[in-house]
Amino acid sequence: MADRRRINGPPGGTRPPVFASVQQSSTGAADRARRQRQPAELRKIFLKTGLIPTASGSSYLEFEPSASLAAARSNPKSLIPPSSALKLACTVHGPKPLPRSAAFSPNLVLTTHVKYAPFAARKRKGHIRDASERDLGVHLETAIRGAIVAERWPKSGLDITITVIEAEDDRWWGDAPNSHDASWGMMNVLAGCITAASAAIADARIDCLDLVSGGVAALVADDESPSSTGAPRLMLDMDPAEHQSIVSACVVAYMPARDEITELWLKGDSSRAALEKDDERTGHEALVDGAVDAARGANTVLAEAVKESMERSIAQV
């Protein structure tokens, strides 16, 4: 009779697992995923609305990693993905009446909630939101609040919940642990959250001043940079896993029809001089302009997704 007071092991013998080295590939050298796109070329975006019928509005957004296909062809036997693809889902509930215990509000009360799935990042996330997830929620609330016509829904609340299914890596898997000290992957996550939230709000038929899209730009100073002066290069829609050194990055929430920025987040040291010889802009100006250009590119996909949502709702009437 088995002993029920303890957990019995397997009846047969087991062998310890053998893991492949993450520092070297089968060829003997680490194959970093290099950027295959032009500096101003954006990644492909998949955006679809209306996937969650129980919510007032919903959207799903996914970024295609630019270096995955080239890296898979160069080393097809490797089981380690060269870079991650940003995947997130957004739901909007409301406008709904506030609880009776809540204070009177003449405007719409906006609540944002950003949560990583436990398996979304390389470092496993817990069930309780940490400081980074709360910061993303605050930035998202600021970006969306500038676009919603809040005075049309007094004594009402709007809840925006975003679940990050797969997040951007802060560094390449073969880099040293202390490389890329700043969490550069959060910049791309925030830009995706802004675009997905705007699509979900439009799917919920909530009046807004304009569609809000997120864009990211970064100053990159890689060793293989072709610039002879060694100045950092401006990259739109950067992937942290594709670069060795990121000097600074900027993410904006941009409304193209009104030409307004509702949120600006700048991180890193961008106090260096001009990027090129014929460029008179400073690092801050180049970052903001590049992030706005990236947001305009994301807005084209956002507008098409909202158009498809309107056509689908009209066909159901």
Side-chain angles (χ1 to χ4, degrees):
M1 183 175 179
D3 188 0
R4 298 181 180 179
R5 293 174 297 178
R6 66 186 66 187
I7 299 176
N8 298 321
T14 58
R15 294 182 180 181
V18 178
F19 298 96
S21 175
V22 297
Q23 296 295 336
Q24 292 184 352
S25 62
S26 59
T27 58
D31 298 330
R32 171 186 289 273
R34 302 298 181 184
R35 182 184 176 105
Q36 305 296 331
R37 298 172 288 130
Q38 298 296 326
E41 183 180 355
L42 306 179
R43 289 177 291 181
K44 295 181 180 179
I45 302 176
F46 175 80
L47 180 60
K48 190 174 181 60
T49 60
L51 298 179
I52 303 176
T54 58
S56 303
S58 61
S59 64
Y60 173 80
L61 182 139
E62 180 177 346
F63 280 19
E64 179 185 8
S66 59
S68 294
L69 182 59
R73 290 177 178 176
S74 62
N75 190 9
K77 297 182 180 180
S78 178
L79 299 178
I80 303 176
S83 60
S84 61
L86 179 63
K87 302 175 184 178
L88 52 90
C90 177
T91 58
V92 172
H93 296 274
K96 55 186 179 180
L98 292 176
R100 294 184 177 180
S101 59
F104 173 78
S105 176
N107 299 324
L108 181 69
V109 178
L110 180 62
T111 304
T112 56
H113 186 95
V114 179
K115 185 69 182 73
Y116 283 75
F119 50 83
R122 185 174 302 165
K123 184 179 179 181
R124 188 173 180 85
K125 296 287 186 177
H127 296 283
I128 302 177
R129 291 195 303 168
D130 56 6
S132 61
E133 293 169 337
R134 290 192 293 269
D135 290 343
L136 288 176
V138 172
H139 286 290
L140 178 62
E141 180 181 357
T142 305
I144 300 301
R145 188 180 298 277
I148 296 179
V149 186
E151 58 270 13
R152 294 194 178 181
W153 291 278
K155 301 184 293 182
S156 302
L158 182 66
D159 297 336
I160 301 176
T161 304
I162 292 183
T163 302
V164 181
I165 304 174
E166 185 175 354
E168 290 280 356
D169 292 332
D170 295 334
R171 67 180 74 88
W172 182 51
W173 55 266
D175 286 341
N178 58 353
S179 62
H180 290 192
D181 295 334
S183 300
W184 303 111
M186 291 178 55
M187 314 291 280
N188 292 334
V189 172
L190 177 59
C193 290
I194 294 172
T195 305
S198 181
I201 290 173
D203 185 54
R205 307 296 183 264
I206 299 175
D207 295 341
C208 298
L209 299 175
D210 191 11
L211 296 176
V212 186
S213 57
V216 181
L219 294 179
V220 178
D222 292 338
D223 296 338
E224 66 275 7
S225 176
S227 179
S228 59
T229 59
R233 295 179 299 169
L234 180 64
M235 297 289 180
L236 304 187
D237 192 16
M238 60 88 185
D239 188 353
E242 297 176 350
H243 304 288
Q244 291 183 353
S245 176
I246 300 178
V247 180
S248 60
C250 176
V251 56
V252 299
Y254 181 69
M255 295 191 297
R258 300 174 62 90
D259 194 19
E260 294 182 5
I261 294 177
T262 59
E263 171 65 14
L264 175 64
W265 184 15
L266 186 63
K267 179 189 292 186
D269 183 15
S270 58
S271 59
R272 300 191 182 185
L275 304 177
E276 302 293 342
K277 295 181 179 179
D278 55 348
D279 194 351
E280 298 180 354
R281 298 179 300 176
T282 61
H284 299 281
E285 296 175 353
L287 277 176
V288 175
D289 293 343
V292 169
D293 294 339
R296 289 174 179 171
N299 184 76
T300 58
V301 181
L302 176 59
E304 290 295 330
V306 173
K307 181 180 178 181
E308 293 178 359
S309 176
M310 294 296 298
E311 293 176 354
R312 186 168 56 251
S313 62
I314 292 174
Q316 294 177 356
V317 175

